[in-house]
Amino acid sequence: MCSTARRPQLAHLTAALDELRAKGTHVRLRVLDDQQAPVCHYDGREVVNLASNNYLGLANHPRLIEAAVAATRAFGVGSGAVRTIAGTMRIHMDLEEKIARFKNVEACVVFQSGFTANAGTVGSLLGKEDFILSDELNHASIIDGARLSRATIKVFRHKDVAHCEQLLQELEKTPGRKLIITDGVFSMDGDIGPVDRLARLAEQYGAILMVDDAHASGVLGRNGRGSVDHFGMHGKVDVQVGTLSKAIGALGGYVCGSRDLIDYLYHRARPFLFSTSHPPSVAATCIAAFDLLEREPERIERLWANTRRFQGELRRLGFNLGGVTTPATETPITPILVGEGRAAMEFSQSLFDAGVMATGIAFPTVPEGKARIRAIVTSEHTPAQLDRALETIERVARRMGILG
Ligand SMILES: *Cc1c(COP(=O)(O)O)cnc(C)c1O
C-alpha cells in the first residue's frame, strides 16, 4: 500500500467524496488516448467527441503544430522567468500585438490561462471601497477575481439589465468605482450576454464594463472577433477578456483594452507578475491560429452550419435544449436538459458506452434540478459523424425514458 493512504488528517475529504458517490455525481477523469478530434478514443473506446471546446479544430491543425515545432527549435521549450523579470520573449510581444490588431484595440496582455486573465484582472482593477456588478451565471474565475479584489460584489439576475440598473441606482450616491461584468457567451447554457445594453448602461452610469469572451473568441463576430464585434460595440467595452484555450486551440488568456489598462496590469496583475510566461511554442501556435481566423473564415461558417443542423435535429426529436426554465442556447454550446444530477451522469455514461462523448453537468456547476449533458459540435465534424451521434443520442434517450 502507498505510504500516504488513509491518514486520519484527511478523513473529511473521504467523507465528502463518499457523499458525491451517494448522489451519483462523483466523476472519474476520462483519458484521451489520441488527439482532440471529432472522432477519437477515450479510455480505449472510439467515440464521436461532443465534449471539447476545440470549436474550429485548431488544437491539432497541421499549420499550428508546425508553428509550435519551429518555435521550439528556434527558441527552446521554456521562457525561463516571469514576464516582468526576464521571461518576455519577442514572440510574446508579437502575439499581443497581433491580438490587439485583430480586436481593434490599443493593447493586449496575454496570461497563462483564461482563468488567470480573469482572476488577475478583476482582482487588481478595483479595491475594497469599490463595487462589482456581476451576472449570476458568470464564470468561476470572475467570481474568484471579484473576491480577491475585496470590492463589494452585487449579483444581478441572469442577463437582467434592468436589475443591473436598479443596483447601479442604489449605489449612485455611494462613492467608489463600479465595474459591470458579463460573460460574452455563457459556458453552461450557450446564450449570449447583453453586451450592447450593458454598454449603454455603463455609459449612462459611468461604470467600467468588462466582458469575458472565452466562448465567444473564434465563434462570434467577424472572423471570430468576439461579442463586442458581434454587437458592433467597438470602443464601448473597457476590458475585453478572451481565451486562447478554446477555439484558438492552445492555452492562455488575454486582456484587451487601452494602453494604460495593459500597462497597469503589467504592474498589478498577480499571475502576470508571479507566474512564468508561456513557452514560445504556445505563443507561436496562437499567432498561427489568428492567421487562420483571418484567412479561413469558412471554418466559422462550418461551425455554425453544424450547430444549426445538430440543434435543429435534437429539437425535432423533442429534446429540451433550454429556453423555458433555463436560458436558450444561441451558440454551438448545446445543453440537453435532463433534470436530476444522477440521471444526467447516467445518460452521459450510457452515451459513452454507446460511442458518444458528451459531458454530464450537475450541481454545483448548474442549479439543482437543471442537470444536463453538454454537447459541443465543431467545424470539423462531418455530417455522417453528426448523424451517428444523433442516432445514438436518440436511441439511448428512449431506452432511458429521457425521450418519450
Ligand atoms: C473556460 C472559461 C474560462 C477559462 O479559460 P481557460 O483558458 O480555460 O483558463 C474563463 N471564462 C469562461 C466564461 C470560460 O468558459
Side-chain angles (χ1 to χ4, degrees):
M1 189 193 267
C2 176
S3 65
T4 51
R6 301 240 167 240
R7 301 242 302 153
Q9 287 86 337
L10 297 182
H12 64 297
L13 308 187
T14 310
L17 291 170
D18 285 344
E19 203 173 302
L20 291 179
R21 284 187 195 98
K23 279 207 293 193
T25 55
H26 177 270
V27 294
R28 211 172 41 75
L29 302 181
R30 291 208 184 288
V31 179
L32 176 60
D33 301 310
D34 37 22
Q35 298 199 358
Q36 193 61 268
V39 173
C40 57
H41 293 80
Y42 279 90
D43 297 336
R45 177 183 295 281
E46 182 181 286
V47 290
V48 179
N49 182 1
L50 300 177
S52 88
N53 300 312
N54 185 21
Y55 287 106
L56 303 174
L58 300 189
N60 47 6
H61 190 288
R63 242 185 296 166
L64 275 65
I65 295 171
E66 210 39 63
V69 171
T72 303
R73 291 237 158 79
F75 306 119
V77 294
S79 72
V82 303
R83 290 286 300 271
T84 47
I85 295 185
T88 295
M89 303 174 91
R90 174 69 55 211
I91 202 162
H92 294 132
M93 301 310 291
D94 290 346
L95 172 60
E96 289 171 344
E97 283 159 22
K98 185 159 191 79
I99 298 173
R101 275 196 306 277
F102 181 75
K103 299 282 280 189
N104 191 24
V105 293
E106 260 179 28
C108 167
V109 55
V110 168
F111 287 76
Q112 298 84 354
S113 70
F115 196 105
T116 54
N118 271 330
T121 300
V122 183
S124 65
L125 285 186
L126 299 180
K128 62 179 183 305
E129 58 295 334
D130 299 324
F131 296 88
I132 293 173
L133 297 96
S134 179
D135 187 290
E136 65 180 329
L137 295 188
N138 277 345
H139 192 258
S141 53
I142 293 173
I143 298 169
D144 285 10
R147 289 177 183 152
L148 286 169
S149 76
R150 299 191 296 156
T152 303
I153 303 165
K154 303 272 183 188
V155 174
F156 57 91
R157 288 186 295 272
H158 182 50
K159 299 210 306 192
D160 190 335
V161 178
H163 187 208
C164 182
E165 176 161 24
Q166 185 194 325
L167 295 173
L168 281 168
Q169 278 166 354
E170 287 166 16
L171 294 171
E172 236 180 343
K173 302 230 156 49
T174 318
R177 276 171 283 272
K178 283 83 189 187
L179 168 65
I180 303 172
I181 313 181
T182 185
D183 282 2
V185 170
F186 289 88
S187 53
M188 292 302 139
D189 296 285
D191 53 335
I192 298 174
V195 173
D196 50 345
R197 286 178 294 141
L198 288 176
R200 284 191 278 277
L201 203 59
E203 201 73 52
Q204 189 182 340
Y205 287 85
I208 307 163
L209 179 59
M210 170 168 160
V211 174
D212 173 8
D213 259 352
H215 280 282
S217 314
V219 174
L220 281 187
R222 288 168 306 143
N223 302 75
R225 281 178 170 76
S227 65
V228 174
D229 189 80
H230 171 79
F231 283 110
M233 287 288 126
H234 289 278
K236 309 278 187 204
V237 177
D238 304 286
V239 186
Q240 291 186 55
V241 172
T243 185
L244 304 168
S245 322
K246 289 172 178 152
I248 302 302
L251 176 70
Y254 58 85
V255 180
C256 280
S258 68
R259 185 72 254 170
D260 279 356
L261 169 69
I262 304 311
D263 270 344
Y264 178 85
L265 293 174
Y266 282 176
H267 291 86
R268 286 288 178 271
R270 292 168 70 82
F272 184 83
L273 290 163
F274 295 110
S275 183
T276 298
S277 52
H278 277 144
S281 55
V282 172
T285 305
C286 296
I287 291 172
F290 282 99
D291 277 339
L292 267 176
L293 288 186
E294 282 167 338
R295 275 198 260 131
E296 293 182 15
E298 57 274 18
R299 268 177 195 275
I300 301 175
E301 282 157 30
R302 280 207 306 277
L303 169 67
W304 284 94
N306 277 348
T307 298
R308 283 189 291 274
R309 177 191 166 90
F310 183 68
Q311 293 180 352
E313 192 58 19
L314 287 172
R315 285 205 180 88
R316 197 190 60 77
L317 288 168
F319 283 104
N320 177 1
L321 304 189
V324 184
T325 62
T326 61
T329 181
E330 301 170 86
T331 66
I333 295 172
T334 307
I336 304 177
L337 274 291
V338 173
E340 290 313 311
R342 180 190 301 278
M345 293 309 176
E346 284 172 2
F347 188 26
S348 173
Q349 178 63 46
S350 301
L351 286 174
F352 182 76
D353 294 339
V356 169
M357 172 93 164
T359 321
I361 296 177
F363 182 81
T365 309
V366 294
E368 287 282 13
K370 292 179 180 168
R372 62 198 64 186
I373 64 165
R374 174 171 171 270
I376 300 182
V377 298
T378 73
S379 61
E380 304 313 288
H381 285 88
T382 64
Q385 289 163 348
L386 290 184
D387 286 347
R388 182 169 142 200
L390 285 161
E391 265 166 40
T392 307
I393 294 170
E394 182 187 6
R395 180 162 41 81
V396 171
R398 288 204 195 285
R399 193 178 71 219
M400 296 182 70
I402 290 165
L403 267 190

